[in-house]
Amino acid sequence: MLSQRSVEAVIGWARREEIPTPALLFVSSALRAGVARLREALGGRISYAMKANPHSLALRELVPLVDEFNVTNLAHLDALLERGVESPRILFAHPVPTRRMVAAAVERGVTRFVLDCPRGLDVLRSATRRAEITLRLL
């Protein structure tokens, strides 16, 4: 966690440099410390939702720190695969998946899916018969 003094110093630097806003200022040590605190407090597996922040700087730090990644689209899936994340660490969790989307994920090696409705099960069945499924029910 950054101290208030550090935050103020960064803000002053950004103003002096006339950095346009919004700007992403990334502190890798703060991210690593946050994941460590979360793991210590929960004592369980950590699953990172790519929609939270798919920036390459964040991914560089997160790949070795978290247990798995949730993706909702092929762009995020490809970003993880390009970083060397093995497909068993990836869950595809689109709320309304299309046949084409699921087939593309399966072609890339994804075998773990999160489904929200019976229609999602039909879509998944059309792409593969070998998948690990988590159902989210109302």
Side-chain angles (χ1 to χ4, degrees), residues 114-119 121 133-138:
V114 177
L115 302 175
D116 293 337
C117 63
R119 184 184 125 348
L121 188 55
I133 303 168
T134 299
L135 296 174
R136 294 189 292 205
L137 304 174
L138 293 176

Side-chain angles (χ1 to χ4, degrees), residues 47-69:
S47 184
Y48 183 75
M50 285 287 288
K51 64 185 177 184
N53 183 356
H55 195 281
S56 61
L57 291 173
L59 291 182
R60 180 184 69 203
E61 298 298 326
L62 288 167
V63 166
L65 299 177
V66 303
D67 300 296
E68 63 190 19
F69 293 86

Side-chain angles (χ1 to χ4, degrees), residues 1-3 15 17 29 34 38 62 65 68 77 95 116 136:
M1 193 62 110
L2 292 178
S3 68
R15 286 185 178 143
E17 295 295 320
S29 61
L38 183 63
L62 288 167
L65 299 177
E68 63 190 19
L77 173 57
D116 293 337
R136 294 189 292 205

Side-chain angles (χ1 to χ4, degrees), residues 27-114:
V27 180
S28 58
S29 61
L31 179 64
R32 288 191 305 272
V35 171
R37 279 193 312 276
L38 183 63
R39 188 173 297 282
E40 184 178 318
L42 298 178
R45 294 176 54 82
I46 296 178
S47 184
Y48 183 75
M50 285 287 288
K51 64 185 177 184
N53 183 356
H55 195 281
S56 61
L57 291 173
L59 291 182
R60 180 184 69 203
E61 298 298 326
L62 288 167
V63 166
L65 299 177
V66 303
D67 300 296
E68 63 190 19
F69 293 86
N70 284 279
V71 299
T72 59
N73 62 63
L74 297 174
H76 290 169
L77 173 57
D78 289 340
L80 289 172
L81 295 173
E82 288 169 10
R83 283 229 162 257
V85 175
E86 304 84 14
S87 58
R89 290 180 64 198
I90 301 171
L91 289 93
F92 199 89
H94 195 285
V96 188
T98 65
R99 293 183 195 281
R100 184 180 304 162
M101 184 186 301
V102 170
V106 168
E107 287 173 10
R108 289 163 169 81
V110 174
T111 59
R112 301 172 66 206
F113 293 85
V114 177

